[in-house]
Amino acid sequence: MGDPTDGVLDTRSRIAAGALRGPRLLATGCGITGRDGHPAVTVFGDNPWARERFTGEVDSVRQIRDLVHHLADREVDAIKLLSEGACAHSGGPGYLWRNPVFPDGVELVRLPLDLLRAGIEAGHERGLRVTVHTTQQAAAREAIEAGADGLEHGVTVEPLTDHSLIDLMLDHGITYTPTLWIDDAHPDARGNLKKVAEAGVHIALGSDTFSGRGLFGANTLEEAELMVAAGMTPAQVLAAGTSGASRQCVRPDLGAVAPGRRADLLVLNSDPTADIGSVRDLGMVILNGELTVDRRDLDL
């Protein structure tokens, strides 16, 4: 979600061709944001090289449509838009984006609503699901009403008090990806996840791994544990990381152990439905029916 387009698609191709050993990789390419939006002037504000590659900044409906179609031509698996960093509603006052890493804050303007709608429409024209980075209730509602298929982060910076927003998620079949691994510092993030999960909103497991700390892959295990700590059951979290994720990615060949599905399996030595920490107790990894990691004989 939101990687340098050339680099991640090249890596995806090399893995698929067998030239590089790695996991099955689905990618959106760059994240699309407004001019001077997040993460262009936040995470990458002092790094123009990364800003140019990780983000696609747009000023107009035409630009966002052209960029979405360009990414579709590159055969991305989905589209990511960023609505982050504005006011409580479109056209309102500026918003100061704050993060512990950037204590002084960065003033942003949220992606205008006409651009948000145009980006989602263009993605759907190409048969791609579109997920939108939000942190506020108002931004989440805008994204859903504009036609988004999923919310990245969802509602993190404030308590989720708008019950009609949860109803809207259910009515539109939204997938909510809480990313507690990066957002757990917000005091309302866990409670908001608990509310949407208990309501029956579709949940996918995601960590927002690229944030300058932690280890790729290991972050996902920590995310699973945080989701349980937030009130989800281990079985719900396992579904979020498998069938829930495959639903959001529109990959019915993945995400479940069943006839006709791809044999991508983690074989564990203990029961993760009893203790989610058992996801760390790895025995084997099977990718597309082939044994790729076997730790059963190791003295760990």
Side-chain angles (χ1 to χ4, degrees):
M1 303 295 292
D3 294 295
T5 303
D6 290 341
V8 73
L9 295 185
D10 177 66
T11 301
R12 184 186 66 176
S13 297
R14 292 172 64 201
I15 292 173
L20 181 66
R21 188 167 182 257
R24 193 181 306 283
L25 182 60
L26 308 181
T28 66
C30 66
I32 302 175
T33 187
R35 183 69 55 189
D36 296 329
H38 175 69
V41 298
T42 53
V43 178
F44 303 119
D46 295 326
N47 189 337
W49 183 91
R51 177 175 178 172
E52 179 182 352
R53 288 161 175 78
F54 279 86
T55 65
E57 297 176 68
V58 293
D59 294 307
S60 67
V61 166
R62 173 51 56 193
Q63 285 182 1
I64 196 168
R65 287 184 58 84
D66 287 348
L67 180 52
V68 169
H69 283 290
H70 169 73
L71 291 171
D73 290 342
R74 299 289 304 275
E75 299 183 350
V76 297
D77 298 288
I79 297 294
K80 179 184 179 181
L81 307 181
L82 292 103
S83 171
E84 162 77 78
C87 39
H89 56 84
S90 289
Y95 173 82
L96 195 64
W97 182 87
R98 294 186 181 277
N99 182 287
V101 181
F102 306 94
D104 293 333
V106 179
E107 188 170 349
L108 300 174
V109 175
R110 189 155 71 226
L111 187 68
L113 188 54
D114 58 340
L115 272 66
L116 179 65
R117 287 175 176 153
I120 293 171
E121 289 172 358
H124 289 169
E125 288 169 7
R126 300 299 296 268
L128 296 172
R129 286 175 73 82
V130 182
T131 191
V132 181
H133 169 125
T134 65
T135 65
Q136 302 165 329
Q137 292 180 101
R141 176 177 291 278
E142 280 187 357
I144 297 171
E145 291 178 343
D149 302 296
L151 300 176
E152 302 302 311
H153 316 297
V155 180
T156 60
V157 299
E158 60 188 8
L160 206 172
T161 56
D162 183 355
H163 296 289
S164 68
L165 176 58
I166 296 177
D167 292 337
L168 196 65
M169 294 181 200
L170 292 168
D171 291 344
H172 288 253
I174 291 296
T175 297
Y176 187 101
T177 306
T179 63
L180 294 179
W181 182 82
I182 193 64
D183 288 313
D184 198 43
H186 293 294
D188 299 306
R190 291 191 187 189
N192 292 347
L193 170 59
K194 190 173 189 291
K195 288 176 184 177
V196 298
E198 288 179 343
V201 174
H202 296 288
I203 307 293
L205 189 155
S207 65
D208 199 356
T209 291
F210 182 77
S211 63
R213 68 179 182 88
L215 297 173
F216 293 99
N219 301 338
T220 299
L221 307 183
E222 184 177 343
E223 178 72 15
E225 293 166 337
L226 288 170
M227 292 169 77
V228 170
M232 295 180 67
T233 68
Q236 287 176 317
V237 173
L238 293 170
T242 54
S243 58
S246 70
R247 174 190 175 276
Q248 172 63 357
C249 296
V250 196
R251 287 295 300 266
D253 57 324
L254 303 174
V257 181
R261 303 292 183 100
R262 294 184 181 273
D264 292 351
L265 303 168
L266 300 181
V267 182
L268 305 175
N269 296 317
S270 50
D271 183 4
T273 63
D275 178 4
I276 196 63
S278 295
V279 293
R280 300 178 181 276
D281 191 10
L282 181 64
M284 293 185 290
V285 177
I286 298 172
L287 177 61
N288 208 29
E290 297 184 0
L291 181 64
T292 60
V293 176
D294 189 349
R295 301 178 65 179
R296 292 171 298 173
D297 296 329
L298 298 179
D299 183 15
L300 299 176

